[in-house]
Amino acid sequence: MNRRLALKQLALAAGGIALIPSCTFSEEEVLTAYDELEITASDAEQLQAVIDTIFPKTTLKGGVELGVDQFVLVMANDCLAENEQQQFVKGLKGFGSFTKENFGTSFTKMDEAERKTHLQSMMAGTEKKGEQQLATQEFLAITKKFGLQGYMKSEYYMTEIMPYQQVPGPVFIGKKKIDASEKVNING
Amino acid sequence: MANLNIKSEEANTYGAIVIGSGMSGGFAAKELCDKGVKTLVLERGRSVVHNKDYPTTNMLPWEFDHKGQIPEDIQRENPVVSRCYAFREDAAHFFVKDKEHPYIQEKPFDWIRGYQTGGKSLLWARQVQRWSDFDFEGPARDGFAVDWPIRYKDLAPWYSYVEKFVGVAGYADGIPQLPDGDFLPGIELTAVEDYFKGVVEQQYPGRNVISGRCAHITGNAEYYAKQGRGICQHRVLCQRGCPFGGYFSSNSATLPWAARTGNLTLQNDAVVHSIIYDEGKGKATGVRVIDAHTKEMTEYYAPVIFLNASALNTNLILMNSTSSRFPNGLGNDNDIMGKYIGFHNYRGGVSGEYEGLGDFTTEGKRPTSGYMPRFRNVQKQETNFLRGYAAGIHGTRAKHVSYDGLGEDLVNNISSAEYGSWHIGSHMMGETIPKETNYIALDESQKDEWGMPQLRVNVEYDQNDEDMIKDYREQVSEMFDAAGFKNIKTWDDERRPGLDIHEMGGVRMGHDPKTSLLNKHNQLHACPNVYVTDGACMTSTSTQNPSLTYMVLAARAVDHAFGNS
């Protein structure tokens, strides 16, 4: 209940974000919905941009529309071990400056193609990395993992893409001939 | 004053008291109420009324804040219960949290508990296999524990009786070590399980694969409608409580049945302190109860007391019931109470893949899976370890989506799936040998919030268990190989004792009051108006999931206490 209320407040806060100049970044209020993360509305906006790149709107609904970015924050706040959480926050908070330093433009100012290319390069690679680079990689890996969970457990995905039946009924067929014309449903 | 006391004593007097409303207590209550006995059921936890108090039962997957996962801080604060497979966001409210009810682990032991109306019957895995004489004769044949004072023939009619009320889906498989019961239509095996059954039964005489018999209603709808229960709809969300009453629980079946007789009084938040023993009368006369909220003590009286508080708590209550006649606990003349604790060894697992049957899949869900009854040391001793193990066998057709890529590629990847090979997995359910050195005891100083002594648990695996794990892994791997399964993996998850949630013993049955605590009717030898018919009474553990047998012993004991009145 509190969580849902908090999410609504976040949505309102995020709506007002455009008015805050980036130079006042450090003075922003911490979002109370994510007390463990101590992140600001700008951080949440940064994450939203990442989710929008990982799960863009296509002929299918995009991650932002499904609230996947908010779900990632809920999970990062509630379901991560402390060390992972620290890496997540470090990667998220430093994401703007890290991308600017490494690619000349901060992530939110890139066009969609650039965002995708650079996200891919930041997520890949096993070579020795700097501290912030590692945090960035971990932040993105966690974001993708929780993002997938949020997308694939969304009402949209579980009703329109891979329909889930809460009450399948008493029939169970242990050996059913596969009909090649039928879509394979992971929730079927 | 005297008059007042007599009045309150009258008001607090019943025909029978049942301590615990879970699987076995619920069944005892139903039997007592059916026989016209005014019955008080004492439940230490809160009230959970069928369908009214299942807050998550109709929630859809996307409605859970963490999509099912338990938050990190709750896991950190509750390491024991967090190891239980069913402790998830949808059913966490039915589990005891570690801190609320502390106990002392002298050796690592995961004590999983459900303190509410219905106890763990809301949460159980619903597998109901009968015992056979290969189980009851085990201790005498193999020279451990003591001889069971009962045999299969003593329980057979009661198995039928209980199965009919519970509703058990299964097939008549004709296996000597797993007697057939009174079954509703069975739930079929998956194609790969059925194929494996064929291989095993052809190549390994004496070994079988069956569909696990489960406590789900699959037929005879009219009969179960009288209990207010309906046909199982295969939601497989049982741990939330079932809106159809499709699986058996005390909440959906025995307790409402008992209530309809008008003979049931169910009292929640009633922490039993001890059983009152009257030295003059030479019997138990009632129960001392602490109110979970006010902490006030009240006494209730009855000529017959059923103790069904769950295996370890039943021990605790008896050990805490001291008097000058029984300074070491009610009925504990031989000082073996709390000893010879057994459990089930679930540590081993095997998995594999099968590339055959590529044209087939399954449709729907099912509340059970395949089961291999014990095949080791059944007819005679043939291995370097005593007893044996049953094995769960579960085969499903894999369906994959790819998580590769980013952006449109990723969204496309997760929106289409393809079939993988069949996946087949197994887990062991091993019999453990109850030993004097596996014991529980009351701590002399540490108490819980209600002033009850904390339990010290001293239970561990032994070499017999280790040898059995090794054999299980070898044998199941070999059978998987014989079936042509590939990529066979086997493991020992090294789980702690207790996580099987099949802890048993401490108040064992036997012929001789010198070496056992209960007689063949589950009465304390030294205080026969107290019946113990939960897991505490078990002399040995067999390999079968025990709840069905507890209910059978409870129904039979009520019949002994009150006959056909």
Side-chain angles (χ1 to χ4, degrees):
Chain A
M1 197 62 188
N2 286 337
R3 173 73 60 208
R4 291 211 177 89
L5 193 66
L7 286 174
K8 272 185 200 148
Q9 284 164 348
L10 170 73
L12 288 175
I17 202 74
L19 300 173
I20 303 169
S22 60
C23 60
T24 64
F25 200 82
S26 60
E27 289 161 32
E28 273 186 79
E29 275 183 36
V30 163
L31 298 173
T32 51
Y34 313 110
D35 53 337
E36 298 286 330
L37 304 180
E38 299 192 342
I39 56 159
T40 63
S42 302
D43 298 328
E45 192 195 24
Q46 193 78 248
L47 178 77
Q48 191 174 76
V50 173
I51 285 296
D52 194 41
T53 305
I54 300 178
F55 303 98
K57 180 172 162 52
T58 60
T59 50
L60 305 175
K61 287 189 181 181
V64 173
E65 189 180 353
L66 299 176
V68 170
D69 52 328
Q70 289 162 22
F71 177 71
V72 170
L73 289 175
V74 169
M75 295 301 280
N77 190 71
D78 296 350
C79 293
L80 281 182
E82 208 180 333
N83 57 336
E84 289 176 296
Q85 200 170 56
Q86 281 165 359
Q87 286 293 85
F88 177 87
V89 172
K90 188 173 176 180
L92 171 57
K93 284 195 174 288
F95 195 66
S97 52
F98 182 81
T99 47
K100 188 157 191 203
E101 271 167 39
N102 284 275
F103 309 110
T105 321
S106 80
F107 188 76
T108 46
K109 300 210 171 82
M110 296 176 189
D111 67 29
E112 204 179 311
E114 283 175 315
R115 286 183 181 188
K116 192 177 163 190
T117 309
H118 294 315
L119 260 195
Q120 257 158 348
S121 75
M122 284 184 278
M123 292 176 86
T126 51
E127 78 278 11
K128 204 168 162 25
K129 290 174 194 292
E131 213 180 287
Q132 188 61 37
Q133 200 177 2
L134 270 175
T136 304
Q137 193 174 27
E138 190 154 353
F139 154 65
L140 292 172
I142 290 167
T143 298
K144 183 174 174 182
K145 183 183 89 174
F146 286 145
L148 279 166
Q149 205 179 340
Y151 195 99
M152 296 175 73
K153 286 265 175 78
S154 67
E155 180 173 4
Y156 168 69
Y157 186 89
M158 295 191 81
T159 52
E160 293 183 41
I161 300 180
M162 299 283 178
Y164 162 84
Q165 270 186 298
Q166 179 103 329
V167 187
V171 178
F172 176 77
I173 303 167
K175 186 175 186 179
K176 189 202 160 200
K177 184 106 172 136
I178 290 172
D179 175 353
S181 70
E182 240 172 61
K183 181 178 164 161
V184 183
N185 178 3
I186 58 166
N187 293 320
Chain B
M1 244 359 231
N3 269 342
L4 252 175
N5 279 340
I6 289 165
K7 255 191 186 165
S8 85
E9 198 170 318
E10 268 173 21
N12 285 356
T13 298
Y14 294 84
I17 294 173
V18 179
I19 303 169
S21 68
M23 196 69 77
S24 65
F27 219 100
K30 177 219 166 246
E31 292 302 300
L32 289 161
C33 290
D34 270 347
K35 289 180 187 298
V37 180
K38 293 286 179 193
T39 303
L40 173 67
V41 174
L42 297 167
E43 166 50 54
R44 68 165 301 153
R46 70 182 196 279
S47 170
V48 172
V49 174
H50 180 53
N51 263 337
K52 186 172 149 270
D53 298 314
Y54 301 158
T56 59
T57 190
N58 288 316
M59 281 176 71
L60 291 155
W62 52 87
E63 293 178 319
F64 290 92
D65 285 349
H66 306 95
K67 310 282 195 257
Q69 212 167 312
I70 297 284
E72 166 72 15
D73 57 342
I74 297 175
Q75 289 191 45
R76 211 168 39 232
E77 281 164 22
N78 302 283
V80 169
V81 70
S82 292
R83 283 189 282 270
C84 176
Y85 69 99
F87 185 70
R88 304 262 304 152
E89 201 170 21
D90 64 344
H93 50 285
F94 290 144
F95 286 90
V96 163
K97 311 300 178 293
D98 299 9
K99 270 197 187 148
E100 294 165 13
H101 297 281
Y103 63 101
I104 299 153
Q105 300 179 52
E106 287 187 11
K107 289 172 184 147
F109 185 89
D110 288 341
W111 189 14
I112 308 298
R113 294 158 287 172
Y115 291 170
Q116 62 255 329
T117 307
K120 299 193 294 289
S121 78
L122 279 169
L123 299 163
W124 65 315
R126 311 165 314 280
Q127 285 287 308
V128 278
Q129 326 301 330
R130 287 187 182 199
W131 283 39
S132 75
D133 275 337
F134 294 107
D135 303 304
F136 289 111
E137 288 171 2
R141 189 193 79 178
D142 293 346
F144 65 93
V146 289
D147 185 25
W148 276 90
I150 50 172
R151 288 295 182 266
Y152 179 67
K153 67 170 169 36
D154 299 311
L155 298 197
W158 293 103
Y159 272 122
S160 297
Y161 178 78
V162 170
E163 281 165 349
K164 174 144 196 223
F165 188 82
V166 164
V168 176
Y171 296 97
D173 299 295
I175 299 166
Q177 68 272 37
L178 204 77
D180 292 329
D182 284 30
F183 297 145
L184 301 171
I187 296 166
E188 62 188 54
L189 293 173
T190 65
V192 74
E193 291 163 357
D194 194 50
Y195 160 73
F196 182 59
K197 174 187 174 76
V199 172
V200 167
E201 292 179 2
Q202 198 196 1
Q203 296 186 28
Y204 295 88
R207 301 189 186 185
N208 303 88
V209 177
I210 65 164
S211 177
R213 296 144 186 184
C214 62
H216 288 259
I217 297 171
T218 55
N220 205 2
E222 215 171 293
Y223 172 81
Y224 294 101
K226 284 184 266 172
Q227 297 179 18
R229 300 171 60 204
I231 301 273
C232 169
Q233 298 299 312
H234 294 211
R235 300 187 338 146
V236 202
L237 300 172
C238 313
Q239 68 281 357
R240 301 179 184 181
C242 180
F244 302 97
Y247 78 95
F248 174 86
S249 66
S250 292
N251 310 63
S252 67
T254 45
L255 292 174
W257 182 279
R260 281 190 291 271
T261 65
N263 294 324
L264 176 73
T265 305
L266 171 59
Q267 184 159 331
N268 286 92
D269 304 310
V271 181
V272 171
H273 172 275
S274 54
I275 293 172
I276 304 162
Y277 182 74
D278 185 318
E279 308 204 0
K281 293 177 182 156
K283 60 181 189 179
T285 52
V287 173
R288 296 182 194 92
V289 174
I290 303 163
D291 184 295
H293 301 297
T294 65
K295 317 270 162 78
E296 267 173 47
M297 183 100 84
T298 310
E299 295 186 352
Y300 296 92
Y301 310 99
V304 172
I305 293 159
F306 271 73
L307 190 40
N308 302 81
S310 82
L312 302 193
N313 276 323
T314 283
N315 277 272
L316 192 159
I317 290 168
L318 286 173
M319 289 191 276
N320 202 44
S321 302
T322 53
S323 56
S324 50
R325 166 68 185 86
F326 294 109
N328 298 322
L330 183 64
N332 190 16
D333 282 337
N334 47 29
D335 206 25
I336 66 165
M337 187 175 283
K339 296 172 182 169
Y340 300 95
I341 299 292
F343 58 100
H344 281 153
N345 174 2
Y346 272 60
R347 274 169 46 189
V350 183
S351 71
E353 285 168 33
Y354 185 53
E355 278 157 19
L357 293 164
D359 293 340
F360 298 95
T361 184
T362 58
E363 188 174 287
K365 293 181 193 162
R366 60 178 174 159
T368 186
S369 67
Y371 180 93
M372 280 190 89
R374 175 164 73 96
F375 53 85
R376 280 305 205 194
N377 304 320
V378 175
Q379 303 284 349
K380 60 179 192 331
Q381 183 63 34
E382 58 200 3
T383 66
N384 66 336
F385 56 87
L386 291 179
R387 315 309 295 162
Y389 46 83
I393 300 288
H394 26 97
T396 52
R397 186 75 199 260
K399 296 170 188 168
H400 299 298
V401 296
S402 164
Y403 301 136
D404 289 344
L406 288 181
E408 191 166 358
D409 298 340
L410 178 62
V411 175
N412 286 340
N413 281 340
I414 59 175
S415 59
S416 71
E418 47 187 59
Y419 286 108
S421 52
W422 286 86
H423 179 271
I424 187 149
S426 171
H427 66 274
M428 74 180 287
M429 296 171 267
E431 178 163 355
T432 66
I433 307 299
K435 295 176 296 286
E436 194 174 5
T437 48
N438 275 350
Y439 68 90
I440 52 176
L442 302 187
D443 190 82
E444 284 175 11
S445 56
Q446 298 186 72
K447 303 210 153 131
D448 71 8
E449 200 189 319
W450 298 270
M452 292 293 285
Q454 288 190 27
L455 205 58
R456 304 188 74 86
V457 184
N458 198 315
V459 173
E460 63 183 343
Y461 294 100
D462 62 15
Q463 192 56 45
N464 200 67
D465 300 319
E466 302 294 339
D467 292 342
M468 196 185 288
I469 293 165
K470 184 166 176 282
D471 187 72
Y472 160 84
R473 293 173 66 183
E474 285 168 5
Q475 290 302 311
V476 175
S477 297
E478 186 194 306
M479 288 184 278
F480 276 16
D481 188 57
F485 299 157
K486 304 290 182 214
N487 195 18
I488 296 169
K489 292 179 183 142
T490 163
W491 60 87
D492 171 356
D493 71 9
E494 296 182 352
R495 71 177 62 196
R496 299 147 155 242
L499 198 53
D500 43 292
I501 327 181
H502 289 174
E503 63 277 10
M504 294 177 230
V507 195
R508 71 182 179 195
M509 295 172 75
H511 302 281
D512 185 350
K514 289 196 189 69
T515 56
S516 63
L517 291 150
L518 301 171
N519 69 14
K520 65 181 176 181
H521 296 293
N522 296 76
Q523 300 166 281
L524 281 172
H525 288 299
C527 185
N529 68 327
V530 174
Y531 290 80
V532 176
T533 66
D534 64 8
C537 77
M538 302 299 275
T539 308
S540 66
T541 72
S542 89
T543 59
Q544 289 88 312
N545 308 57
S547 294
L548 173 67
T549 301
Y550 301 164
M551 290 190 277
V552 162
L553 291 169
R556 179 173 169 269
V558 170
D559 188 65
H560 178 262
F562 289 92
N564 297 317
S565 59

